[in-house]
Amino acid sequence: NNLARMLALGRSVPRDIPEAVSLWSQAADLGHVNAMLNLGYHYLQPSPLGPDRAQGVFWLEQAARHGQADAQAILQRLGHPGPFPPPIDHGT
Protein backbone atom coordinates (compact mmCIF):
# COMPACT_ATOMS: atom_id res chain seq x y z
CA ASN A 1 0.00 0.00 0.00
CA ASN A 2 2.71 2.50 0.92
CA LEU A 3 4.80 1.77 -2.17
CA ALA A 4 1.68 2.15 -4.30
CA ARG A 5 1.00 5.55 -2.73
CA MET A 6 4.57 6.61 -3.46
CA LEU A 7 4.19 5.49 -7.08
CA ALA A 8 0.81 7.20 -7.47
CA LEU A 9 2.13 10.47 -6.08
CA GLY A 10 5.59 10.28 -7.65
CA ARG A 11 7.31 10.72 -4.28
CA SER A 12 10.92 9.52 -4.23
CA VAL A 13 10.15 7.31 -7.26
CA PRO A 14 8.92 8.01 -10.79
CA ARG A 15 5.13 8.30 -10.98
CA ASP A 16 3.60 5.03 -12.22
CA ILE A 17 -0.18 4.85 -11.85
CA PRO A 18 -0.65 1.42 -13.50
CA GLU A 19 1.89 -0.13 -11.12
CA ALA A 20 0.28 1.63 -8.16
CA VAL A 21 -3.12 0.22 -9.13
CA SER A 22 -1.60 -3.23 -9.53
CA LEU A 23 -0.03 -3.08 -6.07
CA TRP A 24 -3.21 -1.72 -4.46
CA SER A 25 -5.23 -4.47 -6.14
CA GLN A 26 -2.89 -7.17 -4.84
CA ALA A 27 -2.92 -5.74 -1.32
CA ALA A 28 -6.69 -5.21 -1.34
CA ASP A 29 -7.25 -8.79 -2.50
CA LEU A 30 -5.15 -9.90 0.48
CA GLY A 31 -7.35 -7.88 2.86
CA HIS A 32 -5.29 -4.70 3.36
CA VAL A 33 -8.00 -2.22 4.34
CA ASN A 34 -6.13 0.98 3.46
CA ALA A 35 -5.28 -0.48 0.04
CA MET A 36 -9.02 -1.02 -0.46
CA LEU A 37 -9.57 2.65 0.40
CA ASN A 38 -6.85 3.87 -1.94
CA LEU A 39 -7.96 1.62 -4.79
CA GLY A 40 -11.57 2.74 -4.40
CA TYR A 41 -10.57 6.39 -4.27
CA HIS A 42 -8.38 5.94 -7.35
CA TYR A 43 -11.24 4.46 -9.36
CA LEU A 44 -13.43 7.47 -8.56
CA GLN A 45 -10.88 9.91 -9.99
CA PRO A 46 -10.91 11.19 -13.56
CA SER A 47 -8.62 9.22 -15.85
CA PRO A 48 -8.04 8.98 -19.60
CA LEU A 49 -10.64 6.19 -19.64
CA GLY A 50 -12.95 8.03 -17.25
CA PRO A 51 -13.73 7.17 -13.64
CA ASP A 52 -14.99 3.68 -12.82
CA ARG A 53 -17.64 4.47 -10.22
CA ALA A 54 -18.74 0.84 -9.80
CA GLN A 55 -15.21 -0.33 -9.00
CA GLY A 56 -14.61 2.69 -6.79
CA VAL A 57 -17.74 2.14 -4.74
CA PHE A 58 -17.06 -1.60 -4.52
CA TRP A 59 -13.62 -1.12 -2.97
CA LEU A 60 -14.76 1.71 -0.72
CA GLU A 61 -17.59 -0.50 0.54
CA GLN A 62 -15.10 -3.27 1.29
CA ALA A 63 -12.94 -0.86 3.28
CA ALA A 64 -15.96 0.68 5.04
CA ARG A 65 -17.17 -2.76 6.14
CA HIS A 66 -13.80 -3.20 7.85
CA GLY A 67 -14.32 0.06 9.74
CA GLN A 68 -12.15 2.31 7.55
CA ALA A 69 -13.36 5.78 8.56
CA ASP A 70 -12.20 7.62 5.41
CA ALA A 71 -13.98 5.11 3.17
CA GLN A 72 -17.12 5.50 5.27
CA ALA A 73 -16.95 9.30 4.96
CA ILE A 74 -16.46 9.19 1.17
CA LEU A 75 -19.38 6.79 0.75
CA GLN A 76 -21.60 8.97 2.93
CA ARG A 77 -20.72 12.00 0.76
CA LEU A 78 -21.68 9.92 -2.28
CA GLY A 79 -25.07 9.24 -0.69
CA HIS A 80 -24.43 5.63 0.32
CA PRO A 81 -27.15 4.61 2.77
CA GLY A 82 -24.89 2.71 5.20
CA PRO A 83 -24.99 1.48 7.95
CA PHE A 84 -21.32 1.09 8.72
CA PRO A 85 -19.52 -0.56 11.63
CA PRO A 86 -17.72 1.67 14.12
CA PRO A 87 -14.55 3.19 12.62
CA ILE A 88 -11.25 1.49 13.40
CA ASP A 89 -7.79 3.07 13.14
CA HIS A 90 -6.00 0.88 10.60
CA GLY A 91 -2.78 2.90 10.65
CA THR A 92 -0.95 2.91 7.33
Side-chain angles (χ1 to χ4, degrees):
N1 182 60
N2 291 343
L3 177 56
R5 282 185 48 85
M6 289 172 62
L7 288 166
L9 298 171
R11 291 195 181 149
S12 303
V13 295
R15 191 166 191 229
D16 188 343
I17 299 297
E19 183 64 17
V21 171
S22 175
L23 291 172
W24 279 325
S25 295
Q26 292 173 57
D29 286 340
L30 292 171
H32 192 287
V33 177
N34 287 336
M36 294 174 191
L37 164 70
N38 290 323
L39 187 58
Y41 184 77
H42 164 76
Y43 279 124
L44 294 178
Q45 301 308 305
S47 75
L49 303 175
D52 187 338
R53 184 178 171 90
Q55 279 289 339
V57 169
F58 172 82
W59 284 111
L60 289 173
E61 286 175 340
Q62 299 307 305
R65 287 189 186 117
H66 286 86
Q68 213 300 336
D70 294 330
Q72 293 173 351
I74 292 168
L75 287 170
Q76 288 172 337
R77 284 194 301 272
L78 293 174
H80 193 280
F84 301 113
I88 300 170
D89 180 7
H90 290 282
T92 56

